[in-house]
């Protein structure tokens, strides 16, 4: 496995993108990942401030009408290779707000999503498992 | 700064759904404040009309991630009021325990964030570290860290097992010394006291004018608490007292929340001790025509649910009012006259959903040009702590 | 050829970079330990840089391309130059260095900050502009006391401007830190070093929760790797510079001591507001530095 | 203020405008009144009885729009709900913001979702929906 892939998987910088229509529980669970008990910095992952630094975009919330175009522009700015992770039932399949008038289209109709982490909210362990699977997918061995 | 307009991009590392405060500032002091909400409006009331009564409990649970059992609590109270029934004893006790456990985890979460806004990141890490045992208790008795899906019209969905009680009691008792540490950290730390005392004060008259609820009102000496005024679930079978403080400032609100931690623990321990046997739900055949009002004292204040049913399978109308709806409006009075660096902690004192304070923006009163954004305010308040400490 | 070797391999680029990587790993590990977290593995900084180098470089549409690309490179070369001089001064006695190289190094150490400002304002992003303006203010704030503090060794060694002579002088009659004026100057220099490295009490230029990674916001890929590398190598060069100017030459122990001071300051206090930093440096630090200079003149 | 006393006072103040008083349970009283008398009763409840204004809830019951103003007397745990029925022809009612500052947000929400016009409201603009939400499209209406 060449050095490039190894480097990418060993230091995955994460950017949190909340597309509106979320009950901020997944976002609290993402912040839980930084706290002492689940500390993801030991895997080399860091929450970064700008989408240009990010390798992985954590998408939470079911897309509201208002934030549709902004999500596209943010995604285009991310430096490739970039991975999109959908966190929580709302991002994976619009969850409980599916037939709401304000959240018509699911997230994966706008962004190419690589890993779906279901759960409402997904447990921090589930998120870490999701990222382990993502690394498995990137490095080719299942 | 050059006359660049600073875009407040909605995508920011720490924020969740955005409410939006725009402070009109004259130099350092805040002169006026615009409050805009609705960025995250999911039209839950519209969706509720298309769901059956039982499904609405799951929808209503996902209104707010932090107090995710308050809304089902009030909703099921409303249905019980509509039907005129009261769930069995054991279900009432289980409901009280879940409600109080959530108050602990929500207050600890707020404590961590207040520490973060004042510049004490270690307080943030510690508060959220001691919140984990509470989430473990939740995971053990309800199966999930939040969104517990415990409530059902006419009772509770899952039963507690006797052999869990000793473990829950041990974990809760282990938290009490940690609460003492936080009480010490907040009450005796001269810098936090200096930073939060006397700012963002709401007088008793303000509490009436803005009809604020929860710790925001209790911090100004107004002892309104739905658990005492209209006892529901097992709150009248357990003796506890309503915490009020006078002063009405941010410090009083912090004190009220910390003392409520102790009160909630002692309620839970009492409920665990004298939990009666028996079944945990009534089966409800059909919903009569009529309307029902249900209330619950959520960590942030009184949650109010109103249901109107025409005998059909889903509610005709389901009005939901979160406590922050009233508390956020009261910021208009609390923030005016204070400096910008205090603005963040005043807005956070109402414990609105986490992101409101991140979205504050400061517009220069004369030029109307955006001068600082939410994050500057967080830093300003952190510096003020720094100045105080020196 | 030997100089090329010095610049690129031994005391220059590679050596300083590895020492810097280890130093930044220690920094991240200690910060995590303070917050009861486990902290990253030992190779983390190195892997971060390798990963960044393979990422795509995105250039904003309305950025001025040449400045945007050149800024990080010039910043890096300045740091390489200064660290090579410092190492050579410490290792090969009597050969390298020229009179006045103290001043040259002082200049070289300000170039990375200036390049950061240029790069940020070239990127056309208003948030980066906010970061750049804060960096300029910070630069103005700490340069004044820094220069005053550096006058102390010159006065005490009555006019030696060559690094090596300074080391020899200090070896002969005791490091400058030993007496009061040298000690005060050292404290001022440490604060200025904290600001120059952009670490927490004074990192408003790149404050993450405020202006979303401030000056670095538009950089990505290799350019970001270079910028991060510059910062890491400055973490080696600056303590080195301080220990040669005030503490009589370099030793592992002195370097670790300075590193510990930096990390402690970073973990114990919140960020400082920009106008407050100005007041702090111009009033307090300059005052202390002037006293140090006066004491030095009186020969204390 | 005892519970019976309050109910008596409301009856006296409404006089003929009182359409129906449903004393549903110990804690709940629903009072149906005409819209003209609403400000007077609201002022009595809010200022004299010091009741806390909880919320107002609008409902589209096919032929008319019904607005309920809920007031809570916390010491005795009683909720009095004033019900006002506006038929769809003229959806106009007096705004209570002058009496209670906290009513302004909920009146904006009802205006936005149901299309009721509140006379005398300081700034009746959108509260929850996007500003460019199509005019005349009221999400909670049942007739469309």
């Amino acid at each position: 496995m060449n050095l490039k892939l190894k480097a990418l998987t060993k230091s995955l910088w994460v950017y949190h993108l909340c597309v509106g229509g979320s009950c901020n529980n997944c976002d609290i669970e993402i912040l839980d990942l930084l706290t002492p008990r689940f500390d993801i910095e030991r895997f080399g992952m860091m929450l970064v401030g700008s989408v240009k630094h990010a390798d992985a975009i954590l998408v939470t919330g079911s897309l509201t009408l208002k934030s549709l175009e902004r999500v596209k522009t943010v995604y285009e700015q991310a430096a490739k290779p970039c991975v999109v992770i959908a966190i929580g039932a709302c991002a994976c399949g619009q969850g409980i707000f599916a037939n709401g008038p304000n959240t018509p289209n699911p997230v994966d109709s706008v962004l190419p999503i690589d890993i779906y982490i279901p759960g409402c909210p997904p447990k921090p362990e589930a998120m870490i498992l999701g990222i382990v699977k993502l690394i498995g997918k990137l490095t080719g061995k299942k | 700064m050059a006359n660049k307009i600073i875009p407040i991009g909605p995508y920011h590392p720490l924020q969740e759904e955005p409410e939006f405060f725009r402070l009109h500032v004259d130099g350092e002091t805040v002169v006026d404040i615009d409050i805009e909400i609705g960025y995250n409006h999911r039209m839950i009331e519209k969706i509720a009309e298309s769901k059956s009564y039982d499904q609405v409990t799951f929808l209503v649970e996902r209104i707010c991630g932090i107090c995710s059992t308050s809304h089902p609590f009030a909703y099921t109270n409303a249905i019980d009021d509509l039907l005129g029934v009261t769930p069995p004893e054991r279900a009432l006790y289980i409901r009280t325990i879940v409600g109080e456990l959530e108050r602990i985890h929500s207050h600890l979460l707020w404590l961590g964030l207040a520490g973060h806004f004042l510049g004490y990141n270690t307080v943030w890490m510690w508060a959220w570290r001691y919140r984990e045992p509470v989430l473990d208790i939740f995971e053990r008795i309800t199966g999930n860290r939040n969104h517990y899906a415990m409530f059902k019209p006419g009772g509770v969905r899952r039963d507690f097992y006797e052999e869990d009680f000793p473990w829950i009691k041990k974990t809760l008792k282990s938290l009490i010394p940690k609460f003492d540490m936080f009480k010490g950290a907040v009450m005796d730390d001269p810098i936090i006291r200096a930073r939060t005392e006397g700012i963002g004060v709401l007088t008793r008259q303000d509490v009436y004018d803005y009809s604020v609820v929860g710790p925001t009102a209790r911090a100004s000496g107004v002892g309104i608490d739905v658990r005492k005024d209209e006892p529901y679930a097992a709150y009248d079978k357990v003796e506890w007292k309503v915490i009020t403080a006078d002063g009405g400032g941010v410090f009083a609100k912090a004190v009220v929340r910390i003392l409520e931690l102790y009160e909630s623990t002692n309620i839970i321990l009492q409920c665990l001790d004298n939990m009666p046997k028996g079944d945990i739900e009534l089966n409800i055949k059909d919903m009569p025509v009529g309307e029902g009002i249900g209330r619950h004292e959520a960590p942030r204040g009184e949650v109010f649910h109103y249901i109107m049913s025409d005998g059909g399978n889903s509610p005709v109308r389901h009005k939901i009012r979160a406590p922050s709806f009233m508390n956020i409006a009261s910021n208009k009075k609390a923030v005016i006259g204070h400096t910008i660096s205090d603005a963040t902690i005043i807005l956070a004192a109402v414990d609105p959903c986490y992101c409101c304070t991140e979205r504050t923006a400061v517009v220069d009163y004369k030029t109307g040009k955006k001068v600082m954004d939410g994050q500057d305010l967080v830093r300003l308040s952190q510096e003020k702590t720094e100045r105080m400490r020196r | 050829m030997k100089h090329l070797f010095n610049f690129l391999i031994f005391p220059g680029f590679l050596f300083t970079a590895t020492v810097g990587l280890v130093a930044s790993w220690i920094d991240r590990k200690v910060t995590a330990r303070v917050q009861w977290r486990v902290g990253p593995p030992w190779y983390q900084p190195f892997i971060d840089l390798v990963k960044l180098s393979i990422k795509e470089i995105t250039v904003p549409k309305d950025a001025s391309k040449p400045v945007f690309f050149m800024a990080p490179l010039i910043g890096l070369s300045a740091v390489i130059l200064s660290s090579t001089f410092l190492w050579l001064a410490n290792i090969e006695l009597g050969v390298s260095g020229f009179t006045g190289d103290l001043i040259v190094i002082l200049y070289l150490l300000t170039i990375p900050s200036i390049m950061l400002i240029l790069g940020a304002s070239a990127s056309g992003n208003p948030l980066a502009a906010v970061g750049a303006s804060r960096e300029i203010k910070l630069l103005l704030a700490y340069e004044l006391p820094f220069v005053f503090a550096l006058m102390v060794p010159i006065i005490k060694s009555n006019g030696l401007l060559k690094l090596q002579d300074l080391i020899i002088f200090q070896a002969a009659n005791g490091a400058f830190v030993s007496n009061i004026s040298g000690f005060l100057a050292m404290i001022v220099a440490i604060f200025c070093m904290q600001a120059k490295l952009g670490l927490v009490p004074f990192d408003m230029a790149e404050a993450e929760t405020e202006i979303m990674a401030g000056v670095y916001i538009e950089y990505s890929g290799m350019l970001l790797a270079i910028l991060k590398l510059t910062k890491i190598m400055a973490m080696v060069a600056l303590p080195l510079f301080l220990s040669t100017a005030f503490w009589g030459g370099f030793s592992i122990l002195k370097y670790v001591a300075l590193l510990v001071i930096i990390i402690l300051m970073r973990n114990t206090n919140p960020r400082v507001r920009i106008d407050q930093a100005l007041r702090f440096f111009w009033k307090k630090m300059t005052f202390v530095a002037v006293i140090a200079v006066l004491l030095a003149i009186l020969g204390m | 203020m005892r519970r019976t006393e309050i109910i008596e006072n409301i009856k006296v103040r409404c006089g003929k405008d009182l359409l129906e008083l449903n004393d549903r349970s110990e804690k709940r009283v629903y009072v149906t009144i005409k819209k003209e008398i609403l400000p007077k009763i609201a002022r009595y409840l809010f200022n004299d009885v010091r009741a806390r204004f909880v919320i107002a809830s609008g409902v589209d019951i096919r032929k008319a729009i019904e607005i309920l103003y809920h007031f809570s007397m916390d010491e005795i745990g009683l909720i009095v709900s004033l019900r006002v029925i506006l038929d769809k022809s003229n959806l106009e009612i007096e705004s209570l913001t002058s009496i209670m500052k906290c009513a302004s947000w909920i009146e904006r929400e009802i205006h936005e979702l149901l299309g009721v016009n509140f006379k005398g409201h300081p700034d009746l603009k959108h509260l929850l929906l996007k500003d460019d939400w199509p005019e005349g499209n009221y999400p909670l209406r049942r007739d469309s």
Side-chain angles (χ1 to χ4, degrees):
Chain A
M1 193 202 359
N2 57 28
L3 185 63
K4 282 170 83 168
L5 254 183
K6 188 158 179 21
L8 185 66
T9 50
K10 274 279 183 281
S11 103
L12 205 68
W13 285 3
V14 164
Y15 177 77
H16 169 233
L17 173 66
C18 168
V19 289
S22 95
C23 75
N24 81 27
N25 212 316
C26 295
D27 314 312
I28 300 264
E29 294 297 275
I30 289 174
L31 288 179
D32 267 356
L33 286 179
L34 304 169
T35 51
R37 186 170 181 182
F38 300 102
D39 178 21
I40 51 172
E41 208 188 342
R42 53 198 156 102
F43 308 123
M45 293 164 60
M46 235 171 35
L47 194 65
V48 285
S50 147
V51 79
K52 292 207 165 29
H53 305 181
D55 305 330
I57 299 183
L58 292 176
V59 178
T60 57
S62 47
L63 202 59
T64 50
L65 269 178
K66 203 177 217 182
S67 43
L68 194 64
E69 346 61 57
R70 287 186 202 151
V71 166
K72 289 200 190 88
T73 44
V74 167
Y75 177 70
E76 273 129 28
Q77 285 171 4
K80 307 289 174 284
C82 176
V83 175
V84 181
I85 303 172
I87 298 257
C90 291
C92 294
Q94 280 194 316
I96 199 144
F97 306 117
N99 42 30
N102 208 0
T103 56
N105 28 37
V107 182
D108 42 23
S109 66
V110 174
L111 297 176
I113 292 189
D114 297 288
I115 286 275
Y116 294 89
I117 300 183
C120 177
K123 292 191 171 42
E125 298 93 341
M127 289 195 214
I128 294 175
L129 174 66
I131 289 165
V132 165
K133 284 214 171 83
L134 172 72
I135 291 172
K137 181 182 171 197
L138 285 178
T139 51
K141 53 184 183 329
K142 265 291 161 292
Chain B
M1 256 163 280
N3 52 16
K4 281 196 164 57
I5 300 293
I6 309 293
I8 308 165
Y11 298 103
H12 180 276
L14 292 177
Q15 62 98 3
E16 280 94 30
E17 80 281 63
E19 270 81 19
F20 191 51
F21 293 85
R22 185 173 292 115
L23 300 167
H24 294 275
V25 176
D26 185 357
E28 269 291 319
T29 51
V30 177
V31 174
D32 190 5
I33 176 171
D34 298 349
I35 300 173
E36 263 178 52
I37 60 175
Y39 282 77
N40 183 42
H41 182 56
R42 295 157 286 188
M43 272 189 215
I44 288 179
E45 287 156 4
K46 188 84 176 125
I47 302 174
E49 279 160 14
S50 62
K51 291 218 184 292
S52 80
Y53 280 103
D54 202 15
Q55 289 167 335
V56 171
T57 36
F58 299 107
L59 171 69
V60 143
E61 204 172 40
R62 279 149 178 85
I63 291 175
C64 158
I66 310 173
C67 48
S68 88
T69 196
S70 316
H71 287 283
F73 210 144
Y75 170 71
T76 37
N77 281 350
I79 292 205
D80 298 345
D81 174 43
L82 181 72
L83 294 167
V85 295
T86 54
E89 272 299 289
R90 190 173 175 87
L92 295 180
Y93 273 83
I94 293 177
R95 282 187 179 181
T96 321
I97 292 173
V98 174
E100 290 309 316
L101 265 174
E102 175 171 77
R103 196 183 313 282
I104 298 176
H105 115 76
S106 169
H107 282 338
L108 279 177
L109 188 135
W110 175 81
L111 208 63
L113 292 180
H116 169 62
F117 290 141
L118 284 179
Y120 286 90
N121 277 346
T122 27
V123 167
W124 178 19
M125 285 295 170
W126 284 5
W128 283 38
R129 179 169 187 260
Y130 292 124
R131 187 173 150 254
E132 291 295 329
V134 179
L135 296 179
D136 288 348
I137 297 177
F138 267 132
E139 207 163 341
R140 185 151 181 174
I141 50 179
T142 63
N144 195 358
R145 289 161 59 93
N146 317 71
H147 294 332
Y148 327 109
M150 273 303 267
F151 285 68
K152 196 160 93 83
V156 179
R157 235 172 260 285
R158 271 172 233 90
D159 199 347
F160 280 5
Y161 300 104
E162 297 305 326
E163 53 282 352
D164 285 343
F165 288 178
W167 176 75
I168 298 175
K169 283 190 195 132
K170 186 170 63 59
T171 327
L172 272 179
K173 288 203 176 74
S174 74
L175 280 180
I176 293 185
K178 311 287 196 307
F179 295 159
D180 298 339
M181 182 189 66
F182 277 120
K183 188 154 80 98
V186 171
M187 309 258 273
D188 315 336
D189 182 324
I191 295 171
I192 289 193
R193 184 180 274 270
R195 262 318 298 281
T196 51
E197 213 150 30
I199 58 166
V201 176
L202 281 178
T203 60
R204 285 178 83 98
Q205 185 51 34
D206 295 332
V207 169
Y208 286 126
D209 282 353
Y210 286 92
S211 310
V212 281
V213 285
T216 323
R218 288 196 284 275
S220 311
V222 177
I224 50 169
D225 188 330
V226 179
R227 296 173 291 179
K228 205 53 116 178
D229 304 339
E230 188 194 338
Y232 53 97
Y235 286 111
D236 45 7
K237 305 178 184 66
V238 167
E239 33 89 18
W240 57 280
K241 57 180 171 39
V242 177
I243 308 279
T244 59
D246 40 24
V250 171
F251 183 70
K253 288 168 188 159
V255 165
V256 164
R257 289 200 173 93
I258 289 179
L259 295 182
E260 272 180 5
L261 286 177
Y262 293 94
E263 218 47 53
S264 300
T265 342
N266 120 50
I267 291 177
I268 295 172
L269 293 175
Q270 282 175 49
C271 280
L272 286 175
D273 291 347
N274 37 45
M275 166 93 84
K277 292 281 177 291
D279 60 1
I280 54 171
E281 58 184 335
L282 302 163
N283 45 32
I284 297 163
K285 286 288 170 295
D286 52 6
M287 294 293 280
V289 176
E291 51 206 343
I293 290 177
R295 304 193 295 170
H296 162 61
E297 187 64 30
R300 283 161 197 69
E302 174 215 42
V303 169
F304 177 91
H305 278 243
Y306 163 80
I307 298 177
M308 172 191 252
S309 101
D310 59 359
N313 192 10
S314 55
V316 166
R317 177 71 171 101
H318 181 184
K319 175 65 195 168
I320 301 162
R321 195 228 53 188
S324 305
F325 193 82
M326 291 302 188
N327 295 343
I328 292 178
S330 79
N331 279 332
K332 202 163 185 58
K333 179 72 183 47
V335 171
I336 290 179
H338 293 285
T339 63
I340 342 177
S341 56
D342 291 332
T344 323
I345 193 64
I346 296 171
L347 298 175
V350 168
D351 190 3
C353 71
Y354 164 76
C355 61
C356 307
T357 48
E358 289 284 325
R359 308 297 302 133
T360 322
V362 174
V363 176
D364 189 352
Y365 195 61
K366 297 181 188 61
T367 59
K369 170 172 66 51
K370 206 201 98 22
V371 172
M372 276 178 243
D373 55 15
Q375 302 73 17
D376 299 342
L377 290 175
V378 170
R379 183 172 36 67
L380 294 188
S381 72
Q382 288 170 354
E383 272 89 48
K384 187 163 182 188
T385 328
E386 175 61 18
R387 269 204 309 283
M388 294 267 184
R389 177 183 301 130
R390 244 191 239 113
Chain C
M1 245 315 278
K2 181 174 178 320
H3 292 300
L4 205 59
F5 169 74
N6 280 351
F7 275 126
L8 288 187
I9 314 293
F10 173 60
F13 179 61
L14 271 185
F15 180 72
T16 328
T18 37
V19 172
L21 287 174
V22 169
S24 89
W25 173 67
I26 293 170
D27 174 22
R28 279 174 72 171
K29 195 76 176 176
V30 168
T31 325
R33 269 282 169 262
V34 164
Q35 293 167 353
W36 285 330
R37 293 185 296 118
V38 174
W42 62 271
Y43 51 78
Q44 194 52 46
F46 173 69
I47 286 276
D48 280 351
L49 292 184
V50 167
K51 178 212 71 180
L52 276 177
S53 58
I54 61 167
K55 292 275 291 192
E56 168 211 11
I57 299 174
T58 54
V59 182
K61 178 160 53 50
D62 49 12
S64 56
K65 306 273 184 301
V67 178
F68 188 73
F69 275 95
M70 285 314 294
L73 298 172
I74 301 168
L76 184 67
S77 52
V79 173
I80 297 173
L81 250 166
S82 57
S83 49
T84 328
F85 275 124
L86 286 165
W87 284 111
L88 284 180
N90 277 300
I91 299 160
E92 288 156 2
L93 291 172
V95 163
S96 71
F98 49 89
T99 50
D101 60 5
L102 184 71
I103 315 291
V104 166
I105 287 177
L106 189 63
Y107 264 98
L108 283 175
L109 287 176
T110 50
I111 289 183
S113 307
I114 296 166
M115 280 307 134
L116 204 55
I117 295 162
L118 268 177
S121 35
S123 69
N125 178 327
L127 287 177
V130 168
S133 73
R134 287 183 182 174
E135 186 77 24
I136 297 170
K137 289 181 200 141
L138 196 64
L139 191 67
L140 297 177
Y142 65 71
E143 272 314 310
L144 187 62
F146 199 47
V147 168
F148 270 119
L150 279 173
M151 276 159 61
V152 167
I154 299 165
I155 298 163
K156 291 176 76 62
S157 60
N158 35 51
L160 286 177
L161 280 177
K162 200 161 164 233
L163 268 180
Q164 263 180 333
D165 303 351
L166 273 179
I167 296 171
I168 299 157
F169 181 88
Q170 282 181 38
N173 33 37
F176 298 125
V177 180
S178 46
N179 43 37
I180 302 163
S181 63
F183 186 69
L184 285 179
M186 181 69 167
I187 291 172
V188 168
I190 287 175
F191 272 109
C192 300
M193 177 171 67
Q194 189 83 3
K196 203 184 264 288
L197 288 176
L199 287 176
V200 166
F202 307 105
D203 83 334
M204 58 285 289
E206 179 238 318
E208 203 224 49
T209 49
E210 274 94 62
I211 33 175
M212 283 166 69
V215 279
Y216 297 115
I217 193 165
E218 288 300 337
Y219 279 99
S220 66
M222 185 50 123
L223 294 176
L224 186 60
I226 293 171
L227 281 176
K228 294 271 183 204
L229 193 60
T230 326
K231 193 170 170 196
I232 287 175
M233 288 174 69
M235 231 156 115
V236 177
L238 271 161
L240 194 59
F241 183 51
L242 255 60
S243 44
T244 37
F246 293 97
W247 224 341
F250 166 78
S251 82
I252 302 290
L253 213 58
K254 289 179 196 151
Y255 178 66
V256 167
L258 284 173
L259 208 59
V260 162
I261 293 170
I262 296 178
I263 296 172
L264 269 180
M265 266 169 77
R266 171 190 149 115
N267 283 331
T268 47
N269 28 40
R271 242 179 241 104
V272 174
R273 196 175 54 209
I274 188 69
D275 56 328
Q276 203 189 339
L278 284 172
R279 228 177 295 127
F280 173 74
F281 277 112
W282 272 339
K283 284 215 187 81
K284 298 197 182 74
M285 282 302 125
T286 323
F287 178 70
V288 170
V290 163
I291 291 177
V293 169
L294 291 179
L295 289 175
I297 295 167
L298 299 178
M300 289 273 283
Chain D
M1 289 281 266
R2 289 299 313 114
R3 185 173 181 287
T4 47
E5 222 180 293
I6 297 172
I7 293 175
E8 271 322 302
N9 283 344
I10 293 176
K11 277 205 190 104
V12 160
R13 276 180 172 64
C14 290
K16 55 179 175 25
D17 286 335
L18 177 71
L19 301 177
E20 182 228 352
L21 192 140
N22 167 3
D23 196 341
R24 192 156 175 294
S25 75
E26 221 278 331
K27 300 278 184 197
R28 300 283 186 271
V29 173
Y30 293 88
V31 181
T32 317
I33 52 173
K34 286 208 179 66
K35 61 180 179 184
E36 292 75 17
I37 197 84
L38 175 69
K40 185 160 165 274
I41 304 292
R43 191 170 293 117
Y44 161 69
L45 282 173
F46 194 68
N47 295 344
D48 311 350
V49 177
R50 301 295 279 179
R52 178 170 52 86
F53 174 67
V54 178
I55 197 72
S57 57
V59 184
D60 179 350
I61 42 174
R62 290 284 182 272
K63 50 191 175 349
I65 294 223
E66 188 189 272
I67 300 181
L68 279 126
Y69 293 86
H70 306 280
F71 289 87
S72 148
M73 290 106 201
D74 296 312
E75 323 74 48
I76 47 177
L78 167 72
I79 292 185
V80 172
S81 308
L82 303 177
R83 186 196 311 265
V84 176
I85 298 178
L86 314 165
D87 59 345
K88 291 243 172 107
S89 54
N90 73 347
L91 288 172
E92 284 250 314
I93 190 165
E94 194 59 42
S95 158
L96 298 182
T97 320
S98 50
I99 306 164
M100 308 172 284
K101 286 201 264 294
C102 46
S104 78
W105 271 18
I106 183 60
E107 282 174 353
R108 277 168 62 188
E109 186 185 331
I110 292 179
H111 165 71
E112 182 180 49
L113 296 180
L114 281 163
V116 174
N117 177 12
F118 289 89
K119 295 205 292 288
H121 190 283
D123 63 345
L124 205 57
K125 54 181 166 50
H126 274 296
L127 179 71
L128 297 172
L129 297 176
K130 283 191 304 185
D131 298 340
D132 50 11
W133 187 266
E135 261 324 300
N137 166 355
Y138 300 113
L140 283 183
R141 274 285 185 80
R142 282 184 181 280
D143 50 13
S144 52

